[in-house]
Amino acid sequence: MHKPELAGGALLDLGVYNLSLYNYVKKVPVKTIVASAAFTKTGVDSECDVLITDENDAKIRLRSSMKRFLSNKARLEYTNSCIELKRFFGCQVVSIDGKKITIPYKGDGFVHEIIAFADDIENGLLEDPIMTHEASRESMSYLDQIRKLIKLKYPFE
């Protein structure tokens, strides 16, 4: 996480998850991205704060940190509704306007990703229908834009 030669830092190690969630639920294109970061002695970002504004002027805040514990809750606020995911990366309960819905959960780590990968191979798929190649490329494009904004460059670039 602290080695620039291994693309370390909060954004690529932790922030990729909340960014991917945003990318999955977004409905309109991004209008602007503003980002700031704090850096370690080794030159990687220890914290990254991102503010995205979409074409409907909705504001999306994404934070990642290696210095301190942040809430792992995702909160999606809409005009007439609110969705909360406690531990969004391994969510077992979703709250929609206060009503709780339980989600089947098989374990910590990458259990769900491994199952999806195995199912895709078993079904002869070349890409996952949820995390498509295009979704991965788009998330990486946002990460690259954010890295430019915070002036994070790795030695191999």
Side-chain angles (χ1 to χ4, degrees), residues 2-17:
H2 292 274
K3 294 183 176 184
E5 65 272 17
L6 298 177
L11 177 64
L12 293 190
D13 191 50
L14 305 167
V16 63
Y17 296 107

Side-chain angles (χ1 to χ4, degrees), residues 11-149:
L11 177 64
L12 293 190
D13 191 50
L14 305 167
V16 63
Y17 296 107
N18 55 24
L19 182 93
S20 292
L21 174 64
Y22 160 70
N23 196 30
Y24 181 67
V25 300
K26 78 178 175 66
K27 298 296 181 205
V28 297
V30 168
K31 184 164 66 174
T32 62
I33 300 176
V34 177
S36 62
F39 292 87
T40 68
K41 291 177 184 175
T42 62
V44 299
D45 60 310
S46 59
E47 294 189 302
C48 190
D49 196 1
V50 178
L51 181 64
I52 297 172
T53 303
D54 72 16
E55 288 189 352
N56 287 338
D57 289 326
K59 307 285 186 212
I60 300 90
R61 184 173 186 203
L62 307 172
R63 298 183 314 155
S64 54
S65 178
M66 300 186 318
K67 288 177 24 177
R68 58 194 165 112
F69 287 104
L70 300 175
S71 167
N72 287 321
K73 174 177 63 174
R75 182 177 174 89
L76 309 165
E77 295 180 25
Y78 300 91
T79 304
N80 297 312
S81 188
C82 178
I83 301 170
E84 288 187 344
L85 296 90
K86 187 177 179 184
R87 285 186 71 230
F88 76 90
F89 57 87
C91 188
Q92 296 177 40
V93 177
V94 174
S95 176
I96 302 174
D97 296 329
K99 181 183 177 189
K100 294 185 180 184
I101 300 167
T102 303
I103 298 173
Y105 184 75
K106 296 186 171 127
D108 286 324
F110 294 100
V111 174
H112 297 277
E113 290 88 343
I114 292 167
I115 292 168
F117 178 70
D119 288 347
D120 290 346
I121 289 174
E122 203 169 88
N123 292 315
L125 300 177
L126 297 177
E127 71 178 325
D128 188 78
I130 293 174
M131 183 52 79
T132 63
H133 297 157
E134 182 55 33
S136 294
R137 281 190 293 272
E138 190 171 35
S139 289
M140 286 303 302
S141 173
Y142 292 138
L143 291 168
D144 288 344
Q145 288 175 54
I146 294 164
R147 286 193 315 110
K148 282 182 184 172
L149 290 169

